[in-house]
Amino acid sequence: MTAPVAGFVQRAWVEQIMGLPISVHLRGADPATPAVEAAVTAYFAELRRADDIFSTYRADSEISRWQRGELTLAAADPLLGWVLASCDQAFVRTRGFFDARSLPDPLGGAPRTDPSGLVKGWAVERTARRLPADHGWCVNAGGDVLVHAPDGLPAWRVGVEDPVRDGKILRAVTMRRGALATSGTRHRGTHIVDPHTGQPPTGLRQVSVLGPELLWADVYATAAFARGASALEWLATLDGYEGLVVTSDGRVRSTPGWPIA
């Protein structure tokens, strides 16, 4: 389970939560202590709690019960109201290209609310307070990554997956703190639509966003992909965030501040 590397030890845990593998990698003098084990256990437990509230695939989740009118926001976990308000803020920040409130019902019913596009990044980031600050750690939630490297430990090297070539890395960035989120069609097919037209966007295969917060990196990656061909121009206007896009014809383009490996 552990392996010494350059004077420190690295260890990894992986669990299936929110329908995807979530891994935690820790670096430190000894990441196998009972205290570290307890912190990682608490981390995964809190992610499961978020899934209990926000899973749209579970009939007993609070978001599902609220959507059916069986639960009021006043009676729900306060996090439900906070997330819905954050989705409204995301709608404003992205000029309507991230819209969790008006998603089409797959069964043809009335438009539904689905905050999943915000919840994963928010939950992974919020719950990271459970992880030991004196260790380096890297959390990977289905390709969206959050890292922390305290003084005395090396930075993390994080790769952006190539959307065309299986198992290949398109770009790599060195990070001490911050987030990297990616949206595209490679793993989930066509699942993002332009909220203004209701149609899948064109012109892109993948968008990656680098920045200080995973919640917003994830939201901005989704919104940028929904924009299609105008994604990079919009990403360049975001303060503190950088973008990398792969166009439909395979070209790789980035905002001016994207780090050069």
Side-chain angles (χ1 to χ4, degrees):
M1 291 291 291
T2 60
V5 181
F8 62 89
V9 177
Q10 183 165 317
R11 189 178 179 195
W13 297 256
V14 182
E15 296 203 14
Q16 193 81 11
I17 306 173
M18 299 181 181
L20 70 158
I22 298 180
S23 64
V24 176
H25 298 256
L26 259 70
R27 290 172 174 171
D30 186 3
T33 65
V36 170
E37 289 279 4
V40 174
T41 297
Y43 179 82
F44 285 128
E46 196 160 339
L47 286 179
R48 289 193 191 87
R49 173 58 184 148
D51 198 38
D52 289 343
I53 299 170
F54 295 105
S55 174
T56 57
Y57 297 96
R58 294 174 48 178
D60 63 342
S61 70
E62 294 204 9
I63 186 73
S64 295
R65 293 167 56 208
W66 171 78
Q67 193 116 239
R68 294 193 300 267
E70 300 169 4
L71 182 69
T72 65
L73 284 183
D77 189 300
L79 291 176
L80 178 57
W82 191 93
V83 162
L84 292 176
S86 296
C87 287
D88 294 339
Q89 184 183 6
F91 180 88
V92 174
R93 283 197 186 194
T94 63
R95 302 177 188 176
F97 280 91
F98 183 95
D99 186 359
R101 296 278 198 167
S102 304
L103 296 178
D105 188 329
L107 299 179
R112 60 193 173 89
T113 298
D114 184 350
S116 301
L118 180 144
V119 163
K120 180 179 70 171
W122 160 79
V124 166
E125 185 168 45
R126 175 180 181 271
T127 309
R129 71 184 190 276
R130 296 284 189 181
L131 299 175
D134 60 342
H135 284 63
W137 47 257
C138 173
V139 180
N140 187 326
D144 293 338
V145 178
L146 182 70
V147 305
H148 165 75
D151 293 342
L153 287 173
W156 293 92
R157 186 83 165 157
V158 181
V160 176
E161 185 179 14
D162 192 316
V164 179
R165 300 176 299 161
D166 288 339
K168 300 297 183 180
I169 297 298
L170 183 70
R171 293 285 189 275
V173 294
T174 300
M175 304 169 61
R176 297 200 66 83
R177 290 173 182 82
L180 176 66
T182 297
S183 290
T185 59
R186 179 170 178 80
H187 294 292
R188 296 180 58 192
T190 303
H191 67 287
I192 298 173
V193 300
D194 177 347
H196 301 288
T197 65
Q199 299 299 313
T202 60
L204 295 179
R205 288 182 174 175
Q206 183 171 284
V207 176
S208 296
V209 175
L210 182 69
E213 297 180 74
L214 186 56
L215 185 161
W216 291 110
D218 201 6
V219 164
Y220 291 151
T222 301
F225 192 86
R227 282 177 169 269
S230 66
L232 197 65
E233 180 182 6
W234 176 69
L235 287 169
T237 70
L238 300 178
D239 187 25
Y241 292 82
E242 302 295 337
L244 180 82
V245 305
V246 182
T247 63
S248 296
D249 59 6
R251 289 179 297 149
V252 181
R253 303 171 60 206
S254 63
T255 54
W258 185 273
I260 299 175

